[in-house]
Amino acid sequence: DAGVIQSPRHEVTEMGQEVTLRCKPISGHNSLFWYRQTMMRGLELLIYFNNNVPIDDSGMPEDRFSAKMPNASFSTLKIQPSEPRDSAVYFCASRLTVNTEAFFGQGTRLTVV
Amino acid sequence: AQSVTQPDIHITVSEGASLELRCNYSYGATPYLFWYVQSPGQGLQLLLKYFSGDTLVQGIKGFEAEFKRSQSSFNLRKPSVHWSDAAEYFCAVGVGNEKLTFGTGTRLTIIP
């Protein structure tokens, strides 16, 4: 398996633009997580899904952020409109079932100018 | 809600010296515990995990960790560090259908 695949690896966008980050979890995995990592705040959980259903989105910073998981093999994290303070590395991770370890993608480095 | 504390933000050790990174968790029951390592520009890689059974668990790259229920700790150890161990280390906790919660990380620097 190729592991968790995230795209793009790097994204530079202007303030106010819409940004869509994509994630393909490991095949057969039932849980998917979106994390954001910054120097100031460390690794923050934004949202996680079990069996494509959002379980906890309390970490989503505000209404500008939304996440979807239309099927077991694909998820998106959208920011609209983007702001400079959204600049961070966004990680997607998946796990086989609850109570198993999570596998991380390489991350998307987002820069909003 | 569960929480994880890594009290050391940054640790510097000499190559060949032993290492211990601290991790304390807060949860009402026995959680599932993990240590991950992150090299610059990379994602997080699992070093080891504890679910149940033997409280001393072995991981990759010569790392081990010991679960101590009485101290709510899951410290990571390595008897002799190598320059390639320089990275950021994260402790994480998860139980049942709950989210994985990560500590703030400990940055490890290795000096020759």
Side-chain angles (χ1 to χ4, degrees), chain A:
Chain A
D1 199 309
V4 177
I5 300 173
Q6 291 186 246
S7 63
R9 288 295 310 276
H10 302 274
E11 176 82 31
V12 180
T13 190
E14 292 185 346
M15 182 173 62
Q17 296 298 305
E18 177 180 295
V19 175
T20 299
L21 311 182
R22 297 173 174 79
C23 176
K24 182 180 188 307
I26 294 173
S27 177
H29 281 197
N30 292 329
S31 296
L32 184 140
F33 305 82
W34 282 102
Y35 288 90
R36 176 173 68 176
Q37 186 176 39
T38 61
M39 289 291 293
M40 293 298 295
R41 302 174 68 91
L43 198 61
E44 305 173 275
L45 177 66
L46 300 177
I47 186 171
Y48 82 101
F49 297 83
N50 275 347
N51 296 314
N52 312 337
V53 176
I55 302 300
D56 184 347
D57 65 354
S58 60
M60 296 286 265
E62 49 200 271
D63 292 345
R64 297 185 298 106
F65 285 69
S66 63
K68 294 182 179 179
M69 193 165 186
N71 56 61
S73 59
F74 184 65
S75 177
T76 59
L77 178 67
K78 186 176 295 186
I79 308 173
Q80 166 63 18
S82 58
E83 297 181 2
R85 60 193 169 118
D86 302 330
S87 297
V89 181
Y90 291 81
F91 286 104
C92 177
S94 70
R95 66 182 179 187
L96 181 61
T97 64
V98 297
N99 305 338
T100 60
E101 67 269 29
F103 293 83
F104 280 75
Q106 293 295 296
T108 295
R109 180 174 295 277
L110 174 65
T111 304
V112 183
V113 298

Side-chain angles (χ1 to χ4, degrees), chain A residues 33 35 95 97-104, chain B residues 2 4 6 22-25 31-37 44-51 57 65 67 74-76 89-96 98-103:
Chain A
F33 305 82
Y35 288 90
R95 66 182 179 187
T97 64
V98 297
N99 305 338
T100 60
E101 67 269 29
F103 293 83
F104 280 75
Chain B
Q2 68 238 40
V4 181
Q6 292 181 250
R22 296 183 291 166
C23 173
N24 292 95
Y25 68 90
Y32 299 97
L33 296 158
F34 309 87
W35 274 100
Y36 285 82
V37 61
L44 279 71
Q45 180 187 19
L46 181 72
L47 280 176
L48 47 77
K49 60 190 178 186
Y50 172 77
F51 288 163
V57 294
F67 170 61
F74 188 57
N75 294 348
L76 182 71
Y89 292 80
F90 293 90
C91 182
V93 60
V95 180
E98 296 186 33
K99 56 192 177 184
L100 283 175
T101 301
F102 282 82

Side-chain angles (χ1 to χ4, degrees), chain B residues 1 11 32 34 39 43 46 52 55 62-63 102 107-108:
Chain B
I11 284 183
Y32 299 97
F34 309 87
S39 298
L46 181 72
S52 65
T55 56
F63 285 92
F102 282 82
R107 184 160 61 93
L108 176 64

Side-chain angles (χ1 to χ4, degrees), chain B residues 62-83:
Chain B
F63 285 92
E64 66 177 27
E66 186 172 12
F67 170 61
K68 292 185 177 180
R69 185 192 307 273
S70 61
Q71 299 177 17
S72 297
S73 69
F74 188 57
N75 294 348
L76 182 71
R77 300 194 294 249
K78 186 169 185 178
S80 176
V81 298
H82 186 261
W83 64 266

